[in-house]
C-alpha cells in the first residue's frame, strides 16, 4: 500500500512538472476589467510573422501560439477596447492590420497596405509553455 502511494505520488508530480505537446502554448490571460485585443509576432523559418487579433474578455485566457514554443523570444502588442485606452507596446516594429490578419515580413508595411505597431519582447526562456497575464 505504501509503495503504491509513493508510485502514484511520483507519477502525479511527474505529470505536473512536464507539459505535453498538446498543452504547450503561448497563452495570454486578461486579468484587467477591460476587454483587450492582442497580436503576436514570431519567427517562422527565416521569416517574421505577425498575427492578430485575439479578443481577450476580462477574466479569460486565449492560446495565441499553439504547440511547443521553439524560440526564446516572442513579441506582442495588446490594447484595450474601452476607455481609458491602455496599450502594451514597445520598440519592435511589426505589421498589423485593422481586421484579423497573418502577415509575413516586417518591411514596407504601409506600402503593402498595413499599419506598423511597436511590440514588446517576451522572453520565454525556451520553455515549451508560457502564460502571460495582463493587469490593470
Amino acid at each position: 500500500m505504501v509503495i503504491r502511494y509513493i508510485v502514484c505520488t511520483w507519477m502525479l508530480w511527474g505529470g505536473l512538472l512536464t507539459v505535453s505537446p498538446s498543452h504547450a502554448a503561448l497563452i495570454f490571460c486578461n486579468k484587467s476589467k477591460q476587454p483587450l485585443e492582442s497580436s503576436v509576432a514570431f519567427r517562422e523559418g527565416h521569416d517574421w510573422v505577425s498575427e492578430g487579433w485575439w479578443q481577450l474578455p476580462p477574466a479569460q485566457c486565449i492560446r495565441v501560439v499553439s504547440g511547443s514554443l521553439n524560440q526564446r523570444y516572442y513579441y506582442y502588442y495588446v490594447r484595450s477596447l474601452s476607455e481609458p485606452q491602455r496599450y502594451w507596446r514597445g520598440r519592435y516594429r511589426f505589421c498589423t492590420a485593422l481586421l484579423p490578419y497573418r502577415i509575413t515580413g516586417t518591411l514596407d508595411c504601409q506600402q503593402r497596405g498595413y499599419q506598423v505597431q511597436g511590440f514588446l519582447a517576451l522572453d520565454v526562456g525556451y520553455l515549451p509553455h508560457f502564460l502571460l497575464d495582463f493587469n490593470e
Side-chain angles (χ1 to χ4, degrees):
M1 189 64 138
V2 172
I3 292 175
R4 185 170 151 189
Y5 172 76
I6 291 170
V7 169
C8 289
T9 302
W10 180 78
M11 289 173 61
L12 174 65
W13 277 106
L16 292 175
L17 296 176
T18 60
V19 177
S20 72
S22 64
H23 291 94
L26 175 57
I27 296 174
F28 289 171
C29 291
N30 184 356
K31 303 287 183 169
S32 78
K33 294 177 182 154
Q34 296 180 298
L36 304 176
E37 187 170 61
S38 66
S39 290
V40 67
F42 50 88
R43 286 191 79 64
E44 191 169 82
H46 294 291
D47 296 321
W48 284 102
V49 172
S50 53
E51 290 186 292
W53 296 100
W54 285 273
Q55 304 303 306
L56 290 162
Q60 292 195 23
C61 299
I62 190 146
R63 180 184 313 248
V64 296
V65 175
S66 296
S68 288
L69 304 179
N70 58 9
Q71 300 166 39
R72 180 170 179 183
Y73 294 98
Y74 289 81
Y75 300 84
Y76 64 95
Y77 172 81
V78 176
R79 61 186 176 204
S80 62
L81 295 174
S82 61
E83 297 296 330
Q85 194 80 39
R86 294 251 355 247
Y87 296 92
W88 289 262
R89 57 185 169 197
R91 64 184 180 103
Y92 300 95
R93 298 169 59 82
F94 291 95
C95 302
T96 63
L98 295 175
L99 298 175
Y101 68 91
R102 178 179 170 86
I103 302 169
T104 301
T106 60
L107 301 176
D108 304 321
C109 296
Q110 293 172 324
Q111 291 86 342
R112 295 190 289 155
Y114 303 123
Q115 292 76 45
V116 178
Q117 296 296 340
F119 284 53
L120 288 165
L122 175 63
D123 184 350
V124 301
Y126 297 108
L127 295 172
H129 182 80
F130 198 91
L131 188 140
L132 180 61
D133 289 333
F134 295 95
N135 300 301
E136 302 283 346

